[in-house]
DNA sequence: ACTTTGAATTCTAACGATAAAATTCTAACA
DNA sequence: TGTTAGAATTTTATCGTTAGAATTCAAAGT
């Protein structure tokens, strides 16, 4: 591979001049710029990004940690981040933490050791204290879908409490009052907030929250099936089921039908996230839209603005969920 | 951040010695190793991977190009590759080509310019000729889910023809004979091979392939709905529908029910890929399993073996699809 | 013609590691 | 005691670029 040195020789200028036409920040006369560009073309020159990084102390890479590389939710998130960053010539180094504390810490260490210019984290298992500490280090850290105390400016988050409220409120408005709730893992902030919204909506409607109509799921299909099984076996009356995400709602739908329920007649179900497949369940899933792709774009923009000093980036830190009405919730009356 | 130089000073040894304890390939006496390790710990030293890359001409990064970052299929694939590589201390740089020729080429260029040690491509729009040419360059290139003429050793592929055959054969065995087929985009190799398998199964059973029961879809939900719409509006008789992937099958199921079909009684549907959601459609989707996660692992192993010279890597280049029987195909009789 | 000034360009020293060659050390053996 | 082989360690050059200081150049002002 041709180096900058060979280009400079061929063009008859110094190394520094070539470097300056590559980086087009400092001024070079049109004449020399052309000479250099010709030489670059002739040699098929491509700057060595590693050498650039070493010399400039900039790797032009952004680390991303998500819980899982698969899964519709993270897919949308990564797609948003990558698209935005790639358009700016930056690249993403992606790894995953599987929602486990050790693996998340491990992943973060890994990204730091790769000399990213910044990292964007979707972490769930690690504590706020750890993150606050992490932010004291020299690596800039940003958070997706998580609001870390005192680090608001580094967070892109969804109002999960509102989402939880919206879900429950919409079900209540359809005349349901005995409502079962399958939450995500209690240690996850998302779960907690969505549940809080649920409780607020119940309270607003003077309905008591019942422990027996609560189940802690795992945010996966199994959480939905296990939860519904639990409720059915406990022989309680309930006409609606709220699932803290769409995967669990899917699991619940599948399990419910296996148990002979006619959906949505026998049971209304609402999900959360509005993943792409939500429109292909039967009945089509009513859910809460989580604009995670947009949020991914925004996280990337935040990095572009703060780290790469790009102008004209208007940042929104907080996003609002909205109700998507389909067929899985019906009027009780 | 502490550098190797500071460590060497603190430990009272030379740079080279520190380098050798970091890379633990060459021998260092236990005594000095300990001294150096202590010094590293004391300084919180972490090797600068960029400098390592420049000096060793190894970036320890593998570029990955997939069609989309979202989507269940690619998620599984990326997860497999990343897990394997990450365990070996390598990182992945991921980008996407959106199944468009220009964007794919662009993505490849992008990865090459990032000095990856190798790249793993899932490309669909780019020609074999282009890829063969690409392989003549100095960047090692590997292919996922694609068999490039003469580059077999660099490919990890699925026997799509067999998968197509299996799908059709299984439907035929259930007594169906009027079978509609929704293919993927014709320019994609996967589509072509699956269709070829379909035709072979028909031929084996002395059933003529009918142009009017063929529709070229887009591998997305819309392909399924558009295809089924086309068949229904053409007023043909058919009792089974084969979709070249699960997304299209989902779309077809949803559309079919919207049109008042009772599934699977009125129409049997089979998909391809066995994405995670296939078990949550209604009826649960009978499909062909595509072990793409495994294949991702295998592609990574191939890189580990060829590029990073890891031993004990047994490589399987070709994978076989298998039939997953669920509820969406019923016996016609 | 002679400064002056600002733009254009070159020079030089990093950046933080690796790797090959050169050197020193250590212990065994004649 | 001197030799020698092999292990342990150091020396030195290098990877390909950037960045700031130093220099040269060109046009304008006096």
């Amino acid at each position: 591979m041709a180096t900058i040195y060979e280009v400079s020789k061929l063009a008859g200028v110094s190394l520094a001049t070539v470097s300056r036409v590559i980086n087009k920040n400092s001024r070079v006369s049109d004449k020399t710029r052309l000479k250099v560009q010709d030489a670059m073309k002739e040699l098929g020159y491509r700057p060595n990004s590693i050498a650039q990084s070493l010399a400039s102390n900039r790797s032009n890479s952004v680390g991303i940690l998500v819980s899982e590389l698969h899964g519709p939710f993270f897919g949308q998130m990564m797609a948003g981040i990558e698209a935005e960053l790639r358009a700016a010539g930056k690249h993403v180094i992606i790894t995953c933490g599987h929602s486990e504390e050790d693996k998340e810490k491990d992943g973060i260490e890994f990204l730091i050791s790769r000399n990213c210019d910044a990292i964007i984290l979707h972490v769930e298992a690690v504590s706020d204290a750890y993150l606050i500490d992490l932010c004291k280090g020299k690596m800039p850290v940003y958070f997706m879908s998580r609001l870390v105390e005192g680090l608001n400016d580094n967070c892109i988050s969804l109002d999960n409490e509102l989402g939880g409220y919206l879900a429950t409120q919409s079900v209540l408005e359809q005349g349901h009052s005995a409502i079962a709730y399958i939450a995500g893992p209690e240690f996850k902030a998302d779960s907690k907030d969505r549940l809080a919204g649920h409780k607020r909506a119940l309270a607003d409607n003077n309905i008591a929250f019942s422990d027996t109509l609560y189940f802690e799921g795992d945010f996966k299909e199994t959480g939905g099936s296990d939860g519904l099984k639990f409720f059915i076996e406990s022989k309680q009356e309930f006409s609606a089921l709220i699932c803290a995400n769409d995967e669990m709602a899917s699991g619940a739908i599948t399990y419910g039908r296996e148990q002979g329920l006619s959906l949505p007649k026998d049971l209304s179900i609402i999900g959360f996230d509005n993943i792409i497949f939500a429109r292909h369940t039967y009945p089509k899933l009513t859910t809460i839209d989580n604009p995670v792709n947009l949020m991914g774009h925004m996280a990337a923009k935040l990095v572009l603005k703060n780290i790469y000093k790009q102008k004209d980036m208007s940042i929104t830190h907080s996003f609002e969920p909205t109700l998507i009405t389909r067929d899985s919730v019906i009027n009780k009356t």
Side-chain angles (χ1 to χ4, degrees), chain A:
Chain A
M1 197 45 149
T3 70
I4 199 175
Y5 177 70
E6 302 171 49
V7 174
S8 77
K9 236 176 19 180
L10 180 61
V13 300
S14 73
L15 286 190
T17 302
V18 179
S19 172
R20 277 180 4 273
V21 350
I22 293 170
N23 296 297
K24 36 180 145 279
N25 36 23
S26 187
R27 28 199 333 140
V28 180
S29 73
D30 291 349
K31 198 165 40 142
T32 35
R33 184 200 322 289
L34 245 55
K35 269 195 305 188
V36 171
Q37 283 169 339
D38 285 352
M40 295 201 305
K41 201 159 296 168
E42 187 173 336
L43 294 170
Y45 171 76
R46 194 186 264 136
N48 179 324
S49 63
I50 303 272
Q52 285 181 314
S53 298
L54 184 60
S56 66
N57 198 27
R58 261 282 129 93
S59 68
N60 287 309
S61 69
V62 176
I64 300 183
L65 178 73
V66 294
S67 296
E68 302 295 341
L69 250 31
H70 60 263
F73 183 81
F74 298 111
Q76 292 292 340
M77 191 174 120
M78 292 186 290
I81 299 176
E82 198 269 345
E84 193 76 33
L85 252 19
R86 166 76 187 286
K90 313 301 176 190
H91 72 254
V92 296
I93 296 178
I94 303 184
T95 193
C96 50
H98 302 293
S99 305
E100 291 171 36
E101 184 171 358
D102 288 350
K103 290 187 181 163
E104 286 184 351
K105 287 184 177 175
D106 217 62
I108 293 169
E109 281 301 306
F110 182 71
L111 292 175
I112 292 177
S113 79
R114 289 340 263 217
N115 291 78
C116 299
D117 294 331
I119 56 183
I120 298 176
L121 306 180
H122 183 288
V123 283
E124 306 184 291
V126 117
S127 71
D128 271 21
Y130 170 84
L131 294 175
I132 289 168
D133 216 53
L134 179 65
C135 285
K136 291 187 185 135
K138 79 182 267 294
M139 172 70 70
V141 186
Y142 296 90
F143 303 98
M144 277 289 301
S145 283
R146 177 158 178 170
L147 201 53
V148 183
E149 187 89 35
L151 262 27
N152 299 256
D153 290 351
N154 295 2
C155 299
I156 300 292
S157 63
L158 181 77
D159 190 341
N160 279 300
E161 200 272 349
L162 175 61
Y165 183 86
L166 248 36
T168 302
Q169 183 64 32
S170 74
V171 168
L172 288 165
E173 279 168 9
Q174 295 300 315
H176 299 272
S177 55
I179 302 175
Y181 190 92
I182 302 180
E186 283 164 8
F187 71 87
K188 297 190 181 185
D190 289 6
S191 306
K192 270 185 278 205
D193 294 344
R194 291 175 190 184
L195 178 59
H198 168 65
K199 287 181 175 172
R200 178 162 65 91
L202 288 182
D204 277 6
N205 290 270
N206 296 312
I207 297 181
F209 171 78
S210 156
D211 273 344
T212 59
L213 281 173
Y214 171 83
F215 183 86
E216 179 185 1
D218 57 5
F219 269 159
K220 300 181 200 156
E221 289 84 348
T222 45
S225 48
D226 292 351
L228 183 52
K229 182 168 187 231
F230 168 79
F231 293 137
I232 290 176
E233 288 180 354
S234 70
K235 309 237 185 258
Q236 298 173 79
E237 288 294 318
F238 59 102
S239 64
L241 172 65
I242 297 179
C243 296
N245 79 353
D246 289 351
E247 272 98 330
M248 296 199 297
S250 302
I253 287 176
T254 301
Y255 180 79
R257 193 157 23 240
E258 280 171 8
Q259 298 305 305
L261 294 182
S262 165
L263 302 174
K265 193 162 61 71
D266 296 343
L267 181 65
S268 284
I269 298 181
I270 186 170
F272 200 117
D273 280 344
N274 192 25
I275 61 176
I276 197 114
F277 262 90
R279 77 197 62 193
H280 292 296
T281 58
Y282 177 68
K284 295 179 190 166
L285 192 64
T286 291
T287 188
I288 301 295
D289 184 59
N290 184 345
V292 67
N293 184 271
L294 256 179
M295 289 167 67
H297 274 274
M298 194 53 76
K301 279 186 184 171
L302 188 54
V303 169
L304 253 17
K305 178 178 178 181
N306 290 351
I307 307 300
Y308 299 112
K309 306 301 176 196
Q310 291 201 1
K311 303 295 177 192
D312 301 324
M313 290 278 157
S314 71
I315 305 294
T316 309
H317 286 276
S318 181
F319 285 73
E320 290 208 346
T322 51
L323 177 69
I324 305 288
T325 303
R326 295 204 184 89
D327 309 335
S328 67
V329 174
I330 54 168
N331 197 293
K332 203 194 163 193
T333 54

